[in-house]
Amino acid sequence: MLDHVGIKVSDLDRSLPLYREALATLGIELLADFTMGRDRHVGFGKEHPTFWLSNGAQGRGETHVAFTAASRAEVEAFYSVALSMGGRANGAPGIRAHYHPNYYGAFVLDPDGHNIEAVCHDPE
């Protein structure tokens, strides 16, 4: 349904390491990094960029993005690495049965307060 998603962060140099390392646990790589005028854009994906970060005004932390994990172990790795890179805990890895019985997710806030999630829908 979606081709790509982009969010603005207040300090791209501060946010980039968290995203680069945490998304790598899900097999998502930094594929693009360029500047147009005064705006820098970085794109992450597996084959082509589908998730973009751009420098912008002070972030308000209103965005929620969930990334698909291939396993519950990937969800746990994402969470651990994101916290080690300066993310703030916003929901430890676990079942979220209110979504569905196999929804296993973890939530981390980036430096601007954006809610970044890794989720696996497979049983065990």
Side-chain angles (χ1 to χ4, degrees):
M1 183 172 90
L2 299 174
D3 182 73
H4 62 275
V5 172
I7 65 172
K8 290 189 180 222
V9 295
S10 61
D11 184 340
L12 189 54
D13 289 330
R14 178 182 66 177
S15 294
L16 184 56
L18 184 152
Y19 281 94
R20 185 179 54 240
E21 300 303 320
L23 294 179
T25 67
L26 306 175
I28 300 169
E29 300 177 2
L30 178 64
L31 299 177
D33 186 341
F34 60 88
T35 301
M36 291 176 43
R38 292 184 293 166
D39 296 325
R40 182 175 172 204
H41 308 276
V42 296
F44 295 87
K46 292 189 176 185
E47 295 178 20
H48 63 276
T50 57
F51 177 71
W52 291 88
L53 293 176
S54 301
N55 61 310
Q58 178 65 36
R60 293 177 36 190
E62 297 177 351
T63 302
H64 174 218
V65 178
F67 295 94
T68 302
S71 67
R72 291 180 180 191
E74 279 193 1
V75 171
E76 293 163 3
F78 167 88
Y79 185 75
S80 176
V81 169
L83 293 181
S84 76
M85 297 302 298
R88 293 173 305 178
N90 195 36
I95 293 289
R96 305 302 195 274
H98 53 281
Y99 295 127
H100 67 73
N102 296 320
Y103 194 108
Y104 191 84
F107 304 82
V108 176
L109 299 176
D110 80 356
D112 288 297
H114 297 299
N115 187 18
I116 308 304
E117 175 186 1
V119 60
C120 178
H121 298 283
D122 297 334
E124 308 213 13

